[in-house]
């Protein structure tokens, strides 16, 4: 269902239906729109909760550090993991001269800050580098 | 690619309903200590030896202890949510992660992970596989058992003309973590495309749950290849190949070859994290996994904590011989023991009382 049609239908119903019916319609519409871009309903924001909700243990430190980093990025209104984030995470590990470097690449989505009625959802790539088991350094880039 | 969606507040009403429902469902979650004084959960890798230890411990002590082999990832989840007294994992947490949740981790046992095959007419410990060929099989680039590359290194074997079916683990698995760690070390292509993980995007194959599931699937499927903790391969009489190690020698899986690799461990990191894959040494088995034990430094219940430490201490005093009987190696290096016991001595309950009496 296109957005234009959805608005048209909801307008025609507004005069006749109750508020409950309108909310139900909006919910169904949002589900249809979300179909092409799966998002997660998981809302955990820290290490412990990410572990408890069942994310891959080896990537959770990176996820938790990313969520801290995102707080400082004003251009993002919201940030979220996709349902495939855990599955598609790519981890590498190298050891040189006694130093351990772990790097993790994650896929995510961000809602860019905007004044429009609609959210602008963009794919994001997160790269974490964890040297000698320290706190991960996070780099976030917008995927064009 | 950018996508337009309705503002998120419109979805909040529905999300809150879902959260309420999830909260209600979580009340049905199992509670710790439902049936046992000491409850552990985690890796299936170490389950055979942990079950043996618990059986012997309960014969010697008036305490009930239980270990739920639910996989490393689930074990970490349960210790984090404090529904178990200890967890065992083959996916070591790094120090940064341990600090996040006030956890203490140390290496418990070491054993080997071995490829297992079901090849009619090919006896166990006779098929030779190089690391490169193993990686190609796992990536789906080598698809027939009678491929010239396999025939070349196995000139005396009559390899069947049948497709290779890869079997891998479905759930978050420490065995998968160690196995993919090895593949990433020996194959740049594997490292680049799939990396290391308790779960990876396998390009081919069928997935099964647990080491037992792996053993049963490979046993039942001619032409299959999987990877499994060595004890399970032995128990299920699976065909294990000879694997070429970093010293270019073809070695068979055994406690002796596992020990050759394990004795090279330094255990110097704060988290004790140590990779034991593809290590040098002419007799080193190239895929050796470590099972780590995780406990909370700050304990909720003093008695529970004391009982748990009683078990863990009993393992150090009595567990090594039992481990060897099952092809596991208890990590009881003096340097490890000193650090572990020092950490136990600092464990406290929420009221600040030391768990171990000074």
């Amino acid at each position: 269902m296109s957005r234009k049609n959805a608005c048209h239908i909801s307008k025609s119903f507004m005069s006749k239906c109750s508020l409950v019916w309108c909310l139900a319609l909006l919910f169904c519409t949002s589900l249809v729109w979300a179909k092409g871009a799966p998002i997660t309903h998981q809302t955990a924001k820290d290490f412990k909760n990410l572990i408890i909700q069942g994310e891959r243990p080896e990537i959770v430190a990176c996820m938790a550090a990313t969520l801290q980093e995102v707080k400082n990025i004003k251009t993002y209104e919201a940030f979220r993991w996709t349902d495939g984030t855990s599955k598609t995470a790519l981890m590498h590990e190298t050891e040189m001269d006694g130093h351990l470097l772990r790097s993790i690449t994650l896929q995510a989505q961000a809602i860019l800050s905007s004044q429009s009625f609609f959210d602008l959802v963009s794919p994001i790539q997160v790269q974490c580098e964890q040297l000698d088991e320290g706190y991960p350094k996070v780099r976030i880039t917008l995927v064009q | 690619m950018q996508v337009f969606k309705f503002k998120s507040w419109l979805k909040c009403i529905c999300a809150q309903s879902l959260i309420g429902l999830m909260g209600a469902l979580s009340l049905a979650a199992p509670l710790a200590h439902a049936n046992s004084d000491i409850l552990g959960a985690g890796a299936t890798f170490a389950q055979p030896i942990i079950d043996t230890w618990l059986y012997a411990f309960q014969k010697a002590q008036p305490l009930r202890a239980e270990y739920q082999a639910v996989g490393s990832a689930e074990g970490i989840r349960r210790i984090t949510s404090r529904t178990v007294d200890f967890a065992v994992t083959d996916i070591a947490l790094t120090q940064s992660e341990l600090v996040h949740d006030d956890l203490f981790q140390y290496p418990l046992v070491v054993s080997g992970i071995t490829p297992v095959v079901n090849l009619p007419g090919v006896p166990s410990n006779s098929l030779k596989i190089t690391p490169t060929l193993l990686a190609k099989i796992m990536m789906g680039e080598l698809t027939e058992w009678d491929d010239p590359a396999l025939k070349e290194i196995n000139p005396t074997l009559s390899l069947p003309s049948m497709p290779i079916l890869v079997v891998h683990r479905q759930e978050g698995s420490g065995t998968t973590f160690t196995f993919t760690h090895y593949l990433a070390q020996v194959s740049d292509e594997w490292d680049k495309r799939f990396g290391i993980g308790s779960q990876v995007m396998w390009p081919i194959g069928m997935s099964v749950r647990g080491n037992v599931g792996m053993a049963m699937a490979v046993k039942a499927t001619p032409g299959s290849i999987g990877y499994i903790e060595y004890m399970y391969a032995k128990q299920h009489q699976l065909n294990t190949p000879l694997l070429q190690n970093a010293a270019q020698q073809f070695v068979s899986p055994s406690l002796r070859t596992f020990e050759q690799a394990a004795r090279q461990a330094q255990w110097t990191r704060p988290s004790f994290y140590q990779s034991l894959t593809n290590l040098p040494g002419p007799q080193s088995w190239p895929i050796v996994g470590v099972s780590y034990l995780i406990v909370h430094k700050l304990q909720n219940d003093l008695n529970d904590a004391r009982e748990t430490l009683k078990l863990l201490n009993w393992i150090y005093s009595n567990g090594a011989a039992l481990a060897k009987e099952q092809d596991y190696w208890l990590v009881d290096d003096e340097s490890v023991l000193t650090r572990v016991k020092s950490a136990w001595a600092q464990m406290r309950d929420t009221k600040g009382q030391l768990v171990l009496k000074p």
Side-chain angles (χ1 to χ4, degrees):
Chain A
M1 185 188 291
S2 72
R3 272 171 239 122
K4 195 177 172 185
N5 285 343
C7 290
H8 175 74
I9 291 167
S10 57
K11 273 180 192 171
S12 67
F13 271 62
M14 281 294 273
S15 57
K16 299 172 185 173
C17 301
S18 68
L19 182 63
V20 176
W21 279 110
C22 287
L23 283 173
L25 181 64
L26 283 170
F27 173 59
C28 293
T29 312
S30 70
L31 282 182
V32 173
W33 288 344
K35 196 179 175 186
I39 57 161
T40 179
H41 291 290
Q42 295 166 341
T43 53
K45 287 190 172 61
D46 61 21
F47 174 84
K48 187 173 175 176
N49 288 330
L50 284 162
I51 284 279
I52 289 172
Q53 76 182 17
E55 296 294 350
R56 277 167 54 181
E58 67 271 22
I59 65 167
V60 163
C62 173
M63 293 176 88
T66 302
L67 293 167
Q68 285 298 316
E69 184 74 16
V70 161
K71 287 178 185 170
N72 302 323
I73 303 176
K74 305 291 179 211
T75 49
Y76 297 164
E77 192 175 294
F79 177 91
R80 64 193 174 201
W81 304 113
T82 69
D83 276 348
T85 294
S86 198
K87 205 174 176 185
T88 57
L90 200 53
M91 174 181 148
H92 308 285
E93 198 175 270
T94 50
E95 203 171 345
M96 201 173 282
D97 301 328
H99 293 290
L100 181 78
L101 179 66
R102 187 177 273 196
S103 58
I104 295 167
T105 307
L106 304 173
Q107 307 303 324
Q109 288 181 337
I111 297 174
L112 305 180
S113 300
S114 72
Q115 301 298 317
S116 75
F117 183 69
F118 296 106
D119 285 337
L120 194 59
V121 181
S122 291
I124 295 291
Q125 183 165 287
V126 175
Q127 283 193 298
C128 292
E129 289 209 335
Q130 197 176 3
L131 181 65
D132 289 332
E133 308 191 280
Y135 191 77
K137 283 183 183 167
V138 181
R139 201 171 71 225
I140 301 171
T141 49
L142 205 64
V143 179
Q144 297 299 329
Chain B
M1 189 183 72
Q2 291 177 341
V3 181
F4 290 93
K5 290 182 186 170
F6 253 130
K7 289 284 183 189
S8 54
W9 64 266
L10 290 169
K11 297 170 192 166
C12 278
I13 299 164
C14 306
Q16 284 187 2
S17 309
L18 274 174
I19 289 163
L21 182 64
M22 286 161 68
L25 288 173
S26 69
L27 291 174
L31 297 170
H33 304 284
N35 298 307
S36 302
D37 299 313
I38 307 162
L39 186 61
T44 59
F45 179 88
Q47 184 193 5
I49 184 57
I50 293 174
D51 282 350
T52 303
W53 283 336
L54 296 190
Y55 179 74
F57 173 73
Q58 288 173 106
K59 275 171 69 176
Q61 306 280 338
L63 287 170
R64 288 168 303 167
E66 185 187 343
Y67 180 71
Q68 297 169 348
V70 287
S72 293
E74 177 63 17
I76 292 172
R77 198 181 74 80
R78 291 192 188 182
I79 190 75
T80 304
S81 56
R82 289 185 180 267
T83 56
V84 291
D85 298 305
F86 68 92
V88 177
T89 175
D90 313 329
I91 312 162
L93 296 177
T94 62
Q95 188 61 18
S96 162
E97 294 151 346
L98 294 167
V99 168
H100 269 293
D101 199 28
D102 192 41
L103 295 166
F104 173 62
Q105 168 182 274
Y106 65 89
L108 183 67
V109 282
V110 162
S111 189
I113 291 166
T114 176
V116 282
V117 296
N118 182 336
L119 276 181
V122 176
S124 190
N125 282 321
S126 63
L127 177 74
K128 289 179 179 173
I129 300 184
T130 63
T132 310
L133 292 182
L134 182 62
K136 284 188 171 184
I137 288 171
M138 292 295 157
M139 288 189 285
E141 291 177 4
L142 202 155
T143 57
E144 297 287 331
W145 281 112
D146 59 352
D147 189 284
L150 280 168
K151 277 183 167 175
E152 191 186 335
I153 55 166
N154 293 285
T156 58
L157 292 180
S158 171
L159 293 173
S161 175
M162 58 196 315
I164 299 175
L165 176 69
V166 172
V167 187
H168 48 76
R169 292 279 289 276
Q170 187 178 24
E171 79 283 16
S173 152
T175 309
T176 302
F177 185 87
T178 307
F179 187 66
T180 55
H181 196 285
Y182 169 71
L183 292 177
Q185 277 183 316
V186 297
S187 163
D188 288 342
E189 192 186 346
W190 176 278
D191 190 33
K192 194 177 167 190
R193 289 175 60 192
F194 308 105
I196 304 164
S198 54
Q199 285 177 303
V200 293
M201 296 281 281
W202 292 96
I204 49 158
M206 62 182 255
S207 58
V208 294
R209 291 189 79 85
N211 272 302
V212 173
M214 176 67 76
M216 291 169 78
V218 170
K219 193 154 191 165
T221 318
S224 61
I225 180 168
Y227 54 93
I228 197 169
E229 198 282 313
Y230 178 61
M231 186 62 194
Y232 290 89
K234 254 178 99 171
Q235 273 178 351
H236 292 84
Q237 299 174 318
L238 295 171
N239 186 333
T240 53
L242 302 170
L243 192 56
Q244 193 181 45
N245 65 14
Q248 308 298 310
Q249 302 296 311
F250 284 98
V251 286
S252 59
S254 71
L255 182 61
R256 190 176 56 84
T257 55
F258 305 155
E259 264 194 74
Q260 289 285 322
R263 291 207 179 273
Q264 298 179 50
Q266 301 294 313
W267 312 116
T268 50
R269 295 199 175 94
S271 67
F272 289 98
Y273 174 56
Q274 174 86 48
S275 163
L276 296 179
T277 52
N278 206 35
L279 292 180
Q283 289 303 311
S284 289
W285 180 252
I287 320 174
V288 172
V290 185
S291 282
Y292 300 84
L293 194 136
I294 301 180
V295 287
H296 274 285
K297 286 184 194 169
L298 189 67
Q299 294 281 332
N300 281 345
D301 187 290
L302 198 61
N303 281 337
D304 283 351
R306 282 183 179 153
E307 285 167 357
T308 303
L309 290 191
K310 202 171 195 176
L311 166 68
L312 302 182
N313 196 41
W314 181 93
I315 289 172
Y316 277 133
S317 309
N318 305 277
L322 290 168
K324 280 197 172 179
E325 283 172 19
Q326 297 201 18
D327 298 303
Y328 288 92
W329 187 59
L330 176 70
V331 183
D332 56 358
D333 299 15
E334 200 55 45
S335 61
V336 174
L337 268 178
T338 306
R339 284 172 60 193
V340 169
K341 292 194 171 177
S342 163
W344 288 351
Q346 292 166 43
M347 277 169 62
R348 291 176 186 274
D349 72 353
T350 45
K351 291 172 191 163
Q353 276 184 286
L354 286 169
V355 172
L356 292 179
K357 288 167 190 164

